[in-house]
Coordinates of all heavy atoms in Angstrom, one line a residue:
M1215 N 0.8 -1.2 0.0 CA 0.0 0.0 0.0 C 0.9 1.2 0.0 O 1.9 1.3 0.7 CB -0.9 0.0 1.2 CG -1.9 1.1 1.2 SD -3.0 1.0 2.6 CE -2.0 1.6 3.9
K1216 N 0.4 2.3 -0.8 CA 1.2 3.5 -0.8 C 0.8 4.4 0.3 O -0.4 4.7 0.5 CB 0.8 4.2 -2.2 CG 1.7 5.3 -2.5 CD 2.7 4.9 -3.6 CE 3.4 6.1 -4.2 NZ 4.7 6.3 -3.5
L1217 N 1.7 4.8 1.1 CA 1.4 5.7 2.2 C 1.7 7.2 1.8 O 2.7 7.4 1.1 CB 2.3 5.3 3.4 CG 2.1 3.9 4.0 CD1 3.0 3.7 5.2 CD2 0.7 3.7 4.3
H1218 N 1.0 8.0 2.4 CA 1.2 9.5 2.2 C 2.6 9.8 2.8 O 3.0 9.3 3.8 CB 0.1 10.3 3.0 CG 0.2 11.7 2.7 ND1 0.9 12.6 3.4 CD2 -0.4 12.4 1.7 CE1 0.7 13.8 2.9 NE2 -0.1 13.7 1.8
P1219 N 3.3 10.6 2.1 CA 4.8 10.9 2.5 C 4.9 11.5 3.9 O 5.9 11.4 4.6 CB 5.2 12.0 1.5 CG 4.3 11.9 0.4 CD 3.0 11.3 0.9
S1220 N 3.8 12.1 4.5 CA 3.9 12.7 5.8 C 3.8 11.7 6.9 O 4.1 12.0 8.0 CB 2.7 13.7 6.0 OG 1.5 13.1 6.2
I1221 N 3.5 10.4 6.5 CA 3.4 9.3 7.5 C 4.7 8.7 7.6 O 5.2 8.0 6.7 CB 2.3 8.4 7.1 CG1 1.0 9.1 7.1 CG2 2.3 7.2 8.2 CD1 -0.2 8.2 6.6
D1222 N 5.5 8.9 8.7 CA 6.7 8.2 8.9 C 6.8 7.5 10.2 O 5.8 7.6 11.0 CB 7.9 9.2 8.7 CG 7.8 10.3 9.7 OD1 7.1 10.2 10.7 OD2 8.6 11.3 9.5
A1223 N 7.8 6.8 10.5 CA 7.9 5.9 11.7 C 7.8 6.8 12.9 O 7.0 6.4 13.9 CB 9.3 5.2 11.7
A1224 N 8.4 8.0 13.0 CA 8.3 8.8 14.2 C 6.8 9.2 14.5 O 6.4 9.2 15.6 CB 9.1 10.0 14.0
R1225 N 6.1 9.5 13.4 CA 4.7 9.9 13.6 C 3.9 8.8 14.1 O 3.0 9.0 14.9 CB 4.2 10.5 12.3 CG 3.1 11.5 12.4 CD 2.7 12.1 11.2 NE 1.4 12.6 11.2 CZ 0.5 12.7 10.2 NH1 0.9 12.5 9.0 NH2 -0.7 13.1 10.4
V1226 N 4.1 7.6 13.5 CA 3.3 6.5 13.9 C 3.6 6.1 15.3 O 2.7 5.8 16.1 CB 3.6 5.2 13.0 CG1 3.0 4.0 13.5 CG2 3.1 5.5 11.6
I1227 N 4.8 6.1 15.7 CA 5.2 5.7 17.1 C 4.6 6.7 18.1 O 4.1 6.3 19.1 CB 6.8 5.7 17.2 CG1 7.2 4.4 16.5 CG2 7.1 5.6 18.7 CD1 8.7 4.4 16.3
Q1228 N 4.6 8.0 17.7 CA 4.0 9.0 18.6 C 2.5 8.7 18.7 O 2.0 8.9 19.8 CB 4.2 10.4 17.9 CG 3.9 11.5 18.8 CD 4.3 12.9 18.2 OE1 4.0 13.1 17.0 NE2 4.9 13.8 19.0
A1229 N 1.9 8.3 17.6 CA 0.4 8.1 17.7 C 0.1 6.8 18.5 O -0.8 6.8 19.3 CB -0.1 7.9 16.3
V1230 N 1.0 5.8 18.5 CA 0.8 4.6 19.2 C 1.0 4.9 20.7 O 0.2 4.5 21.6 CB 1.7 3.5 18.8 CG1 1.7 2.3 19.8 CG2 1.4 3.0 17.4
E1231 N 2.1 5.6 21.0 CA 2.4 5.9 22.4 C 1.4 6.9 23.0 O 1.2 6.9 24.3 CB 3.8 6.4 22.5 CG 4.9 5.4 22.2 CD 6.2 5.9 22.4 OE1 6.4 7.1 22.4 OE2 7.2 5.0 22.5
G1232 N 0.7 7.7 22.2 CA -0.2 8.7 22.7 C -1.4 8.0 23.3 O -2.0 8.6 24.2
D1233 N -1.7 6.8 23.0 CA -2.7 6.0 23.6 C -4.1 6.7 23.6 O -4.8 6.5 24.6 CB -2.3 5.6 25.0 CG -3.1 4.5 25.6 OD1 -3.6 3.6 24.8 OD2 -3.2 4.4 26.8
D1234 N -4.4 7.4 22.6 CA -5.7 8.1 22.5 C -6.5 7.7 21.3 O -7.1 8.6 20.7 CB -5.5 9.6 22.7 CG -4.5 10.2 21.7 OD1 -4.0 9.4 20.9 OD2 -4.3 11.4 21.7
C1235 N -6.4 6.5 20.9 CA -7.1 6.0 19.7 C -7.0 6.9 18.5 O -7.9 7.3 17.9 CB -8.6 5.9 20.1 SG -9.0 4.6 21.3
M1236 N -5.7 7.1 18.1 CA -5.5 7.9 17.0 C -5.2 7.1 15.7 O -4.4 6.1 15.9 CB -4.3 8.9 17.2 CG -4.5 10.2 16.4 SD -3.2 11.3 16.7 CE -2.2 11.0 15.3
G1237 N -5.7 7.5 14.6 CA -5.4 6.8 13.4 C -4.8 7.8 12.4 O -4.8 9.0 12.7
L1238 N -4.4 7.3 11.3 CA -3.9 8.2 10.2 C -4.4 7.8 8.9 O -4.6 6.6 8.6 CB -2.3 8.1 10.2 CG -1.5 8.5 11.4 CD1 -0.1 8.0 11.3 CD2 -1.6 10.0 11.6
C1239 N -4.7 8.8 8.0 CA -5.1 8.5 6.7 C -4.0 8.2 5.8 O -3.1 9.1 5.6 CB -6.0 9.6 6.2 SG -6.5 9.4 4.5
A1240 N -3.9 7.0 5.2 CA -2.8 6.7 4.3 C -2.9 7.5 3.0 O -1.9 7.7 2.3 CB -2.8 5.2 4.0
A1241 N -4.1 8.0 2.7 CA -4.2 8.7 1.4 C -3.8 10.2 1.4 O -3.0 10.7 0.6 CB -5.6 8.6 0.9
C1242 N -4.2 10.9 2.5 CA -3.9 12.3 2.6 C -3.0 12.7 3.8 O -2.6 13.8 3.9 CB -5.2 13.1 2.6 SG -6.2 13.0 4.2
G1243 N -2.8 11.7 4.7 CA -1.9 12.0 5.8 C -2.6 12.7 7.0 O -1.9 13.0 8.0
A1244 N -3.9 12.8 7.0 CA -4.6 13.5 8.1 C -4.7 12.6 9.3 O -4.7 11.4 9.2 CB -6.0 13.8 7.6
D1245 N -4.7 13.3 10.5 CA -5.0 12.6 11.7 C -6.4 12.2 11.8 O -7.3 13.0 11.4 CB -4.6 13.5 12.9 CG -3.1 13.8 13.0 OD1 -2.3 13.0 12.5 OD2 -2.8 14.9 13.5
A1246 N -6.7 11.1 12.4 CA -8.1 10.7 12.6 C -8.2 10.3 14.1 O -7.4 9.6 14.6 CB -8.5 9.5 11.7
Y1247 N -9.2 10.8 14.7 CA -9.4 10.5 16.1 C -10.6 9.5 16.4 O -11.5 9.4 15.6 CB -9.7 11.8 16.9 CG -8.5 12.8 16.7 CD1 -8.5 13.7 15.7 CD2 -7.4 12.6 17.6 CE1 -7.3 14.6 15.6 CE2 -6.2 13.4 17.4 CZ -6.2 14.4 16.4 OH -5.2 15.2 16.2
G1248 N -10.5 8.9 17.5 CA -11.5 8.0 17.9 C -11.5 6.7 17.0 O -12.5 6.1 16.7
V1249 N -10.3 6.3 16.6 CA -10.1 5.1 15.7 C -9.4 4.0 16.5 O -8.5 4.3 17.3 CB -9.2 5.5 14.5 CG1 -8.9 4.3 13.7 CG2 -9.8 6.6 13.7
E1250 N -10.0 2.9 16.5 CA -9.4 1.8 17.2 C -7.9 1.5 16.7 O -7.7 1.7 15.5 CB -10.2 0.5 17.1 CG -11.6 0.5 17.7 CD -12.6 0.9 16.6 OE1 -13.0 0.1 15.8 OE2 -13.0 2.1 16.6
P1251 N -7.0 1.0 17.5 CA -5.6 0.8 17.1 C -5.6 -0.2 15.9 O -4.6 -0.2 15.1 CB -5.0 0.2 18.3 CG -5.8 0.7 19.5 CD -7.2 0.8 19.0
D1252 N -6.6 -1.1 15.8 CA -6.5 -2.1 14.7 C -7.5 -1.8 13.6 O -7.9 -2.7 12.9 CB -6.7 -3.5 15.3 CG -8.1 -3.7 16.0 OD1 -8.8 -2.6 16.2 OD2 -8.5 -4.8 16.3
A1253 N -7.9 -0.6 13.6 CA -8.9 -0.2 12.5 C -8.2 -0.3 11.1 O -7.0 -0.1 11.0 CB -9.3 1.3 12.7
R1254 N -9.0 -0.6 10.2 CA -8.5 -0.7 8.8 C -9.6 -0.2 7.8 O -10.8 -0.5 7.9 CB -8.2 -2.2 8.4 CG -7.4 -2.9 9.4 CD -6.9 -4.2 8.8 NE -5.7 -3.9 8.0 CZ -5.0 -4.8 7.4 NH1 -5.3 -6.1 7.5 NH2 -4.0 -4.4 6.6
K1255 N -9.1 0.6 6.9 CA -10.0 1.1 5.8 C -11.2 1.9 6.3 O -12.3 1.8 5.7 CB -10.4 0.0 4.9 CG -9.2 -0.7 4.2 CD -9.5 -1.8 3.3 CE -8.3 -2.4 2.6 NZ -8.7 -3.5 1.8
Y1256 N -11.0 2.7 7.3 CA -12.1 3.6 7.7 C -12.2 4.7 6.8 O -11.2 5.1 6.2 CB -11.9 4.0 9.2 CG -12.3 3.1 10.2 CD1 -12.3 1.7 10.0 CD2 -12.6 3.5 11.5 CE1 -12.7 0.8 11.0 CE2 -12.9 2.7 12.5 CZ -13.0 1.3 12.2 OH -13.4 0.4 13.3
E1257 N -13.3 5.4 6.7 CA -13.5 6.5 5.9 C -12.8 7.8 6.5 O -13.0 8.1 7.7 CB -14.9 6.8 5.6 CG -15.1 7.9 4.6 CD -16.6 8.1 4.2 OE1 -17.4 7.3 4.6 OE2 -16.9 9.1 3.5
C1258 N -12.0 8.5 5.7 CA -11.3 9.7 6.2 C -12.2 10.9 6.1 O -12.9 11.1 5.1 CB -10.1 9.9 5.3 SG -9.3 11.4 5.7
E1259 N -12.3 11.6 7.3 CA -13.2 12.8 7.3 C -12.6 13.9 6.4 O -13.3 14.9 6.0 CB -13.3 13.3 8.7 CG -14.1 12.3 9.6 CD -14.3 12.8 11.0 OE1 -13.9 14.0 11.3 OE2 -14.8 12.0 11.8
E1260 N -11.3 13.9 6.2 CA -10.7 14.9 5.4 C -10.9 14.7 3.9 O -11.2 15.6 3.1 CB -9.2 15.0 5.7 CG -8.9 15.5 7.2 CD -9.3 16.9 7.4 OE1 -9.2 17.8 6.5 OE2 -9.8 17.2 8.5
C1261 N -10.6 13.5 3.4 CA -10.5 13.3 2.0 C -11.5 12.3 1.5 O -11.7 12.2 0.2 CB -9.1 12.9 1.5 SG -8.7 11.2 2.0
G1262 N -12.2 11.6 2.4 CA -13.3 10.7 2.0 C -12.8 9.3 1.5 O -13.6 8.5 1.3
A1263 N -11.5 9.2 1.5 CA -11.0 7.8 1.1 C -11.1 6.8 2.2 O -11.1 7.2 3.4 CB -9.5 8.0 0.7
H1264 N -11.3 5.6 1.9 CA -11.4 4.6 2.9 C -9.9 4.1 3.2 O -9.5 3.0 2.8 CB -12.3 3.4 2.4 CG -13.7 3.8 2.5 ND1 -14.5 3.5 3.5 CD2 -14.5 4.5 1.6 CE1 -15.8 4.0 3.3 NE2 -15.7 4.6 2.1
A1265 N -9.2 5.0 3.8 CA -7.8 4.8 3.9 C -7.2 5.1 5.3 O -6.1 5.3 5.5 CB -7.0 5.6 2.9
V1266 N -8.2 5.1 6.3 CA -7.7 5.4 7.7 C -7.4 4.1 8.4 O -8.3 3.2 8.4 CB -8.8 6.2 8.5 CG1 -8.5 6.3 9.9 CG2 -9.0 7.6 7.9
Y1267 N -6.2 4.0 8.9 CA -5.8 2.8 9.6 C -5.4 3.3 11.0 O -4.9 4.4 11.2 CB -4.6 2.2 9.0 CG -4.9 1.5 7.7 CD1 -5.0 2.3 6.5 CD2 -5.1 0.2 7.6 CE1 -5.4 1.7 5.3 CE2 -5.5 -0.4 6.4 CZ -5.6 0.4 5.2 OH -5.9 -0.2 4.0
G1268 N -5.7 2.4 12.0 CA -5.2 2.7 13.4 C -3.7 2.7 13.4 O -3.0 2.1 12.6
A1269 N -3.2 3.5 14.4 CA -1.7 3.7 14.4 C -0.9 2.3 14.5 O 0.0 2.2 13.8 CB -1.4 4.5 15.7
E1270 N -1.4 1.4 15.3 CA -0.7 0.1 15.4 C -0.6 -0.7 14.1 O 0.3 -1.4 13.8 CB -1.4 -0.7 16.5 CG -1.1 -0.2 17.9 CD -1.7 -1.1 19.0 OE1 -2.1 -2.2 18.6 OE2 -1.7 -0.6 20.1
E1271 N -1.6 -0.4 13.2 CA -1.6 -1.1 11.9 C -0.4 -0.7 11.1 O 0.1 -1.5 10.4 CB -2.9 -0.8 11.1 CG -4.1 -1.5 11.7 CD -4.0 -3.1 11.4 OE1 -3.8 -3.5 10.3 OE2 -4.0 -3.8 12.4
Y1272 N 0.0 0.5 11.2 CA 1.1 1.0 10.4 C 2.4 0.3 10.9 O 3.4 0.1 10.1 CB 1.3 2.5 10.6 CG 0.3 3.3 9.8 CD1 -0.9 3.7 10.4 CD2 0.4 3.5 8.4 CE1 -1.9 4.4 9.6 CE2 -0.5 4.1 7.7 CZ -1.7 4.6 8.3 OH -2.7 5.3 7.5
L1273 N 2.5 0.0 12.2 CA 3.7 -0.7 12.6 C 3.9 -2.1 12.0 O 5.0 -2.5 11.7 CB 3.6 -1.0 14.2 CG 3.6 0.3 15.0 CD1 3.5 -0.2 16.5 CD2 4.8 1.1 14.9
F1274 N 2.8 -2.7 11.5 CA 2.9 -4.0 10.9 C 3.1 -4.0 9.4 O 3.4 -5.0 8.8 CB 1.6 -4.8 11.3 CG 1.4 -5.0 12.8 CD1 0.3 -4.5 13.4 CD2 2.4 -5.8 13.5 CE1 0.1 -4.7 14.8 CE2 2.2 -6.0 14.8 CZ 1.1 -5.4 15.5
M1275 N 2.9 -2.8 8.9 CA 3.0 -2.7 7.4 C 4.4 -2.8 7.0 O 4.7 -3.3 5.9 CB 2.4 -1.4 6.9 CG 0.9 -1.4 7.0 SD 0.2 0.2 6.5 CE -1.5 0.1 7.1
G1276 N 5.4 -2.3 7.8 CA 6.8 -2.5 7.6 C 7.4 -1.7 6.5 O 8.6 -1.9 6.2
D1277 N 6.7 -0.7 5.9 CA 7.4 0.0 4.9 C 7.4 1.5 5.2 O 7.2 2.4 4.4 CB 6.8 -0.2 3.5 CG 5.3 0.1 3.5 OD1 4.8 0.3 4.5 OD2 4.7 0.0 2.4
L1278 N 7.5 1.8 6.5 CA 7.6 3.2 7.0 C 9.0 3.8 6.7 O 10.0 3.1 6.7 CB 7.3 3.3 8.4 CG 5.9 3.0 8.9 CD1 5.8 2.8 10.4 CD2 5.0 4.1 8.4
A1279 N 9.0 5.1 6.4 CA 10.3 5.8 6.1 C 11.0 5.9 7.5 O 10.4 6.1 8.5 CB 10.0 7.1 5.5
Ligands
LIG1658 ZN1 -7.6 11.3 4.0

């Protein structure tokens, strides 16, 4: 999966450690709140793409910058 360039390891780790149910949109890079850590393909409120994943999901994708 192609990730938005603004999503990097530091940002994902910060989101995971924040422990406040934060997700990120892989399409536009927007923060998403109230997202379960294992959420996948939720709709993004910013761009409408079904590309919001929970922060922990990004750790498993393995292709973070
Ligand atoms: Zn988006």
Side-chain angles (χ1 to χ4, degrees):
M1215 187 174 76
K1216 192 105 169 93
L1217 299 182
H1218 190 270
S1220 73
I1221 299 173
D1222 59 16
R1225 205 171 157 209
V1226 168
I1227 289 165
Q1228 192 175 43
V1230 171
E1231 290 182 342
D1233 198 27
D1234 53 359
C1235 291
M1236 209 178 101
L1238 298 166
C1239 175
C1242 72
D1245 293 332
Y1247 298 94
V1249 175
E1250 297 94 78
D1252 61 348
R1254 310 194 79 177
K1255 298 183 179 176
Y1256 278 25
E1257 186 173 353
C1258 175
E1259 291 180 7
E1260 293 294 324
C1261 72
H1264 288 263
V1266 172
Y1267 291 80
E1270 287 182 11
E1271 284 293 302
Y1272 285 97
L1273 294 180
F1274 299 117
M1275 289 178 192
D1277 56 352
L1278 290 167

